[in-house]
Amino acid sequence: MNQWLFIFISLILLGCSDVPPLKEDGPYRYKKPSFFPEYQIPEDNKPTVLRVELGRRLFFEKRLSNSNSTSCASCHVSSMAFTDGKSISHGAHGRMGNRNAPTLANLLWSPHLMSEGGVKTLELQALGPIQDSSEMDMTMRNAEAQLADDVYLQNLSQAAYGRPLDAYVMIRALAVYQRSFISGDTRFDKYHFFKDTTAFNAQEKRGYDIFFSEKAACASCHQLPFFTDYKFYNIGLYENYADAGRQRVTYTANDNGKFKTPTLRNIEMTPPYMHDGSIRTLEDVVEFYNWGGKSHPNKDARIQKMNWTPQEKADLIAFLKTLTDWNFLQNHNFLPLQ
């Protein structure tokens, strides 16, 4: 009699389970703007509906940090183009990191990650923040243990990858989700790529002309369509760099103080600026380039005094604000889980 009672109670508990049903799986296609180039995806990590869903849940999962207080989304907030508004991000236990949190927009096309370009794939990149002592301060083995009893995540992992939620699955699911962060719907895109002359006012058009002028040479590094060439430069931010930048990868003195060209898409929403968050406002960034930076033996020759007038600086800033993609910033697929 007790055995049948146990079975009956178990069935009731299963029927009242809080574990939500899984979505129907199938291939997931990233929504690429028509003027973006084709993309390549690792053969062993093709996107599916459930893989994206699993990655989204892990992106907001605070149990991936040693303090159970920090997730990927803590430093990469969608409404700020996946930055956090801080000069230097803080991780688990309030520890300060080393750099300003970069935007995660359009990583699907990025040939290398991090400001010095030392990581080649999004799958490998996910290992860094989770295991870094100043970020999430977690070992992958402990991360697996933290989520071992989460029935929904385990079911999702089995359905998406055919195996339990382990380090292999975690880094791949996070990569699949982050590749969906695509931003290419701005007033600039309407003006430049679709020739909608009504998308800009007179000031923004003047700023456009300055940006693409031979004198300013902004577009020589901030190349279309991503507003980056993914290369590395020393712009004279400091005379002596505490952070060696690209030199950390190449071990070459000529690469000291060189950092990857950041995208300018959504730049209005991502202060403070530079790899260390040392420049507070967009106005200050424009002024920095106006006076040509500081002396450093590796400074790029294109960083020279511009002698822009106050009106020209205002025009340039007005243009940069046309690079804000409001649909990207408010995409419900990137918002915190309820």
Side-chain angles (χ1 to χ4, degrees):
M1 190 68 177
N2 289 339
Q3 181 182 7
W4 287 109
L5 181 62
F6 174 78
I7 293 174
F8 178 70
I9 293 173
S10 297
L11 289 173
I12 291 175
L13 290 174
L14 285 172
C16 298
S17 174
D18 291 330
V19 179
L22 298 180
K23 297 179 181 179
E24 184 176 346
D25 202 12
Y28 184 95
R29 183 165 180 79
Y30 297 120
K31 295 180 179 179
K32 179 186 79 68
S34 61
F35 49 88
F36 277 15
E38 292 301 321
Y39 54 79
Q40 294 183 332
I41 299 171
E43 286 295 326
D44 67 343
N45 200 21
K46 297 291 187 181
T48 70
V49 172
L50 292 185
R51 288 179 177 185
V52 172
E53 175 65 14
L54 177 57
R56 183 184 184 212
R57 290 185 174 274
L58 292 175
F59 191 81
F60 291 95
E61 182 55 73
K62 293 183 178 181
R63 287 175 292 176
L64 288 180
S65 72
N66 185 278
S67 61
N68 287 332
S69 62
T70 305
S71 68
C72 302
S74 298
C75 299
H76 298 287
V77 182
S78 60
S79 61
M80 291 187 278
F82 291 100
T83 62
D84 63 0
K86 300 175 182 176
S87 294
I88 303 295
S89 298
H90 292 74
H93 310 294
R95 295 171 185 163
M96 183 173 288
N98 299 308
R99 291 186 181 154
N100 180 251
T103 178
L104 303 183
N106 300 323
L107 294 181
L108 178 55
W109 288 272
S110 183
H112 34 236
L113 289 307
M114 313 301 284
S115 295
E116 73 277 8
V119 180
K120 295 302 182 184
T121 71
L122 271 171
E123 283 79 6
L124 287 175
Q125 190 277 333
L127 291 169
I130 293 175
Q131 299 181 119
D132 192 300
S133 60
S134 63
E135 295 189 52
M136 299 170 82
D137 192 29
M138 192 65 130
T139 66
M140 295 310 297
R141 186 181 295 275
N142 286 343
E144 292 174 3
Q146 280 278 78
L147 303 179
D149 295 330
D150 190 310
V151 176
Y152 181 74
L153 290 181
Q154 292 295 337
N155 289 345
L156 193 50
S157 179
Q158 286 287 356
Y161 285 96
R163 57 193 290 161
L165 186 60
D166 55 13
Y168 177 94
V169 170
M170 289 180 196
I171 62 175
R172 281 164 175 77
L174 282 167
V176 165
Y177 177 57
Q178 290 178 90
R179 289 190 176 106
S180 72
F181 300 166
I182 298 173
S183 178
D185 184 13
T186 70
R187 288 195 295 118
F188 165 81
D189 298 316
K190 292 179 175 64
Y191 179 84
H192 183 88
F193 292 108
F194 297 105
K195 310 306 178 185
D196 180 0
T197 57
T198 66
F200 276 12
N201 61 33
Q203 183 179 37
E204 292 160 350
K205 290 177 183 177
R206 293 194 303 267
Y208 173 97
D209 290 338
I210 294 170
F211 185 89
F212 288 101
S213 69
E214 184 177 347
K215 176 187 175 183
C218 304
S220 64
C221 296
H222 295 286
Q223 296 178 6
L224 300 183
F226 302 115
F227 282 90
T228 172
D229 59 1
Y230 298 108
K231 295 179 181 179
F232 306 88
Y233 305 101
N234 182 316
I235 61 171
L237 189 60
Y238 299 106
E239 293 182 357
N240 297 290
Y241 279 84
D243 187 333
R246 184 65 174 167
Q247 187 181 16
R248 297 175 63 186
V249 176
T250 66
Y251 299 100
T252 301
N254 288 340
D255 285 333
N256 179 262
K258 292 183 179 180
F259 295 88
K260 184 173 63 178
T261 305
T263 179
L264 299 184
R265 286 189 174 272
N266 302 295
I267 191 71
E268 174 188 9
M269 309 303 293
T270 64
Y273 302 100
M274 305 303 173
H275 69 278
D276 59 354
S278 59
I279 300 185
R280 190 173 61 87
T281 69
L282 203 50
E283 288 76 9
D284 292 337
V285 172
V286 170
E287 187 58 41
F288 168 82
Y289 284 105
N290 190 40
W291 55 258
K294 298 180 180 178
S295 297
H296 189 285
N298 294 338
K299 189 174 80 168
D300 192 274
R302 288 167 293 186
I303 308 299
Q304 299 287 338
K305 286 187 176 181
M306 291 289 110
N307 297 313
W308 288 319
T309 67
Q311 183 63 62
E312 287 173 323
K313 288 186 284 185
D315 293 346
L316 186 54
I317 291 166
F319 163 72
L320 291 172
K321 291 181 178 180
T322 70
L323 305 181
T324 302
D325 182 348
W326 292 105
N327 286 327
F328 171 72
L329 298 172
Q330 301 172 90
N331 189 323
H332 71 276
N333 292 318
F334 307 150
L335 298 178
L337 295 165
Q338 299 301 317

